[in-house]
Amino acid sequence: MAGTTSTGKRLVRSKSGLRIIPLNDCDRSPFELSEPEWIPDKLSPTCMDCKEKFDFIKRRHHCRRCGRVCCGSCCDTRMALPRMCFLDPVRMCSPCAETTTRENHFYNKDLKTLITGAILCLATDTASDLVQCRLSPDHRFFIVSGPFNDSAPPLSIPMHRMTGLQVNNRDQNTPGSCLVSALMVHYHLAGEDEKEVSLAAPPDATSSAYAFLTALEKAMFMMQESRAVLGTGE
């Protein structure tokens, strides 16, 4: 069952639950994952986690994130799964619940950091300028606004055009810190050669600059995983 909303999205009800997805595939978030196919009951006489045999008491349940068949004890977690666009918490197996917990931290904190943006240093062959970097609210464009020249518009890189990210440095001031302090983004716009943009936290940077760069590294990892499942989005 499907219905259309007024915001360019549609409601879709599957056996896993109710989802809200874009009308057009090209408008989907670069971090989205598709809903998995359920493994048929007949292919799994035992729980795929604890290996206990199913019977009238030990019933089958499907994990909404991976589609595996597990018993109630091994698939008893219900939690939000925004990466698959579910509106309500859905049932998951224990391994998927652990993965989703990390992903939800990205959705609840890191995405907000990226959309809010940060002031960073843009390094070129001749100079280093301060620029404003942010992710567009629809997650589909990485935008760099700064003094490229007086008349140049902001650099807007479609996320699906990012081909790689190289971490150049991590914060060494805090023991055990894994915060990124400098990185290089590789991208390939249509009809052009591959380019790169080098970004770093300024010398007097606030914590938001390090948080932004660290969140961008996580975003690239999430996007590469989604790309492997859904393609480039073009």
Side-chain angles (χ1 to χ4, degrees):
M1 182 181 73
T4 303
T5 73
S6 60
T7 57
K9 296 187 177 183
R10 59 192 173 112
L11 296 173
V12 177
R13 183 181 296 278
S14 69
K15 55 187 177 182
S16 291
L18 188 65
R19 302 170 66 217
I20 182 166
I21 62 177
L23 287 172
N24 299 311
D25 285 343
C26 62
D27 293 330
R28 65 179 180 241
S29 166
F31 311 117
E32 180 185 332
L33 287 179
S34 59
E35 184 179 352
E37 293 289 335
W38 283 13
I39 294 176
D41 290 353
K42 63 182 179 180
L43 297 182
S44 183
T46 62
C47 172
M48 291 184 166
D49 268 357
C50 70
K51 309 305 179 185
E52 290 289 329
K53 187 176 181 179
F54 292 119
D55 54 30
F56 288 108
I57 297 177
K58 188 173 286 292
R59 306 291 297 276
R60 291 176 173 85
H61 298 277
H62 285 84
C63 173
R64 271 52 173 177
R65 191 184 190 282
C66 67
R68 296 189 310 145
V69 186
C70 299
C71 68
S73 298
C74 295
C75 196
D76 63 347
T77 301
R78 291 182 182 271
M79 60 192 308
L81 186 52
R83 199 172 184 192
M84 290 185 184
C85 306
F86 284 107
L87 291 182
D88 301 310
V90 293
R91 184 186 291 271
M92 281 181 243
C93 65
S94 297
C96 283
E98 293 179 7
T99 299
T100 301
T101 297
R102 295 191 295 270
E103 292 175 346
N104 286 356
H105 182 274
F106 173 81
Y107 272 87
N108 295 331
K109 183 177 180 180
D110 295 316
L111 264 183
K112 294 177 181 178
T113 296
L114 291 171
I115 292 172
T116 300
I119 300 297
L120 301 173
C121 279
L122 173 70
T124 66
D125 293 336
T126 59
S128 180
D129 295 315
L130 291 180
V131 294
Q132 169 77 27
C133 298
R134 61 184 176 87
L135 184 69
S136 63
D138 62 5
H139 311 163
R140 297 179 57 235
F141 295 91
F142 181 66
I143 302 168
V144 181
S145 304
F148 303 106
N149 59 57
D150 293 339
S151 60
L155 172 64
S156 182
I157 306 173
M159 291 294 286
H160 70 268
R161 287 290 183 178
M162 286 189 176
T163 58
L165 183 149
Q166 175 184 333
V167 174
N168 294 333
N169 197 27
R170 295 186 186 272
D171 178 29
Q172 302 297 322
N173 296 324
T174 305
S177 173
C178 61
L179 296 178
V180 177
S181 56
L183 55 74
M184 182 177 294
V185 174
H186 301 268
Y187 63 98
H188 190 182
L189 301 180
E192 299 182 9
D193 294 333
E194 184 172 82
K195 297 181 180 180
E196 58 190 36
V197 56
S198 182
L199 301 168
D204 58 347
T206 63
S207 59
S208 62
Y210 297 101
F212 183 92
L213 291 168
T214 303
L216 186 58
E217 180 189 25
K218 296 178 183 177
M220 190 65 190
F221 175 82
M222 296 270 286
M223 186 174 64
Q224 288 175 333
E225 185 180 16
S226 294
R227 184 179 293 162
V229 174
L230 295 174
T232 63
E234 295 183 293

